[in-house]
Amino acid sequence: MRRTIRLKDLLPDYYDDVVEMGILLTVEQYLIDDLTDSLTKAQDNLFVMLADSDGLKIWETIFEIDGSDQDIEQRRMTIIFRLMPPKPITIKYLREIIDMLDLQTTISVTGYTVAIVSTSDNPYATQMLNEVLYKYLPANLYFVPRVVQATSNAGKLHIGTSKAFGVTQQNKRED
């Protein structure tokens, strides 16, 4: 609760002994503090970075976004990416977007193909990157997203033929 100036501090000294004035100022102080909190919340909800859950809900309604399955930071990033103005995409700008999403990627451009290989295990960030690329890449370019994830299963994998009868596969964890 944000504290405003105390009304009792503004009261002249000759009201110090008047009980009714003390009670009146106590009630008014509560109302002023409540009003100050409401105004602060309304002002913060004008800005996506400061908005609480109720403020983000308003932004999501404006942009027709369903953020019910995301946490508050993911909802905030979705709205920010929707608010971004169209800007010519360059490799430098693409790297800035990837840094903002906190992804570990490598980018290569060959002809009209943009290949982005990500080793992230954050599906939300990968989805946001795909949406940004669909929005910003020119029509004559297309991209090939690849997500490479490490596996925790150690073991042998044998693929081949044994006397031309079948395939042997084994991928079990060995302790």
Side-chain angles (χ1 to χ4, degrees):
M1 177 186 257
R2 180 180 248 177
R3 303 301 281 185
T4 58
I5 192 164
R6 309 311 311 156
L7 290 178
K8 287 186 179 183
D9 295 341
L10 300 175
L11 197 64
D13 294 337
Y14 52 84
Y15 281 114
D16 286 345
D17 296 331
V18 179
V19 176
E20 292 85 2
M21 188 58 75
I23 293 172
L24 181 64
L25 290 180
T26 302
V27 171
E28 287 180 353
Q29 188 67 55
Y30 173 76
L31 294 174
I32 288 175
D33 289 343
D34 192 35
L35 177 64
T36 302
D37 290 341
S38 297
L39 290 173
T40 302
K41 179 180 176 180
Q43 182 180 4
D44 287 349
N45 285 339
L46 292 174
F47 305 98
V48 177
M49 293 303 292
L50 301 175
D52 59 0
S53 183
D54 296 333
L56 293 178
K57 181 78 172 154
I58 294 169
W59 284 101
E60 289 170 342
T61 303
I62 292 170
F63 290 118
E64 298 175 352
I65 299 171
D66 180 28
S68 58
D69 60 339
Q70 300 172 345
D71 66 9
I72 195 162
E73 288 304 315
Q74 290 176 343
R75 292 170 61 195
R76 194 178 314 273
M77 288 300 288
T78 303
I79 295 167
I80 288 172
F81 276 115
R82 194 63 66 91
L83 283 170
M84 287 173 39
K87 182 178 176 180
I89 195 156
T90 61
I91 296 294
K92 181 180 176 185
Y93 181 56
L94 183 59
R95 285 198 173 106
E96 289 175 10
I97 293 172
I98 290 171
D99 288 342
M100 194 165 45
L101 290 171
D102 197 28
L103 287 171
Q104 287 73 36
T105 60
T106 57
I107 304 168
S108 63
V109 179
T110 308
Y112 294 103
T113 305
V114 178
I116 299 175
V117 179
S118 173
T119 58
S120 174
D121 56 353
N122 183 353
Y124 170 74
T126 307
Q127 175 191 356
M128 287 304 301
L129 180 62
N130 286 341
E131 288 180 17
V132 167
L133 289 174
Y134 278 124
K135 182 177 179 182
Y136 286 116
L137 277 183
N140 64 342
L141 293 179
Y142 68 96
F143 72 98
V144 180
R146 293 186 193 128
V147 178
V148 179
Q149 295 181 348
T151 179
S152 62
N153 293 343
K156 299 176 183 175
L157 179 63
H158 301 287
I159 298 176
T161 59
S162 173
K163 297 184 182 176
F165 286 110
V167 175
T168 303
Q169 295 181 359
Q170 176 185 2
N171 189 6
K172 296 182 182 176
R173 187 178 183 128
E174 296 177 354
D175 294 321

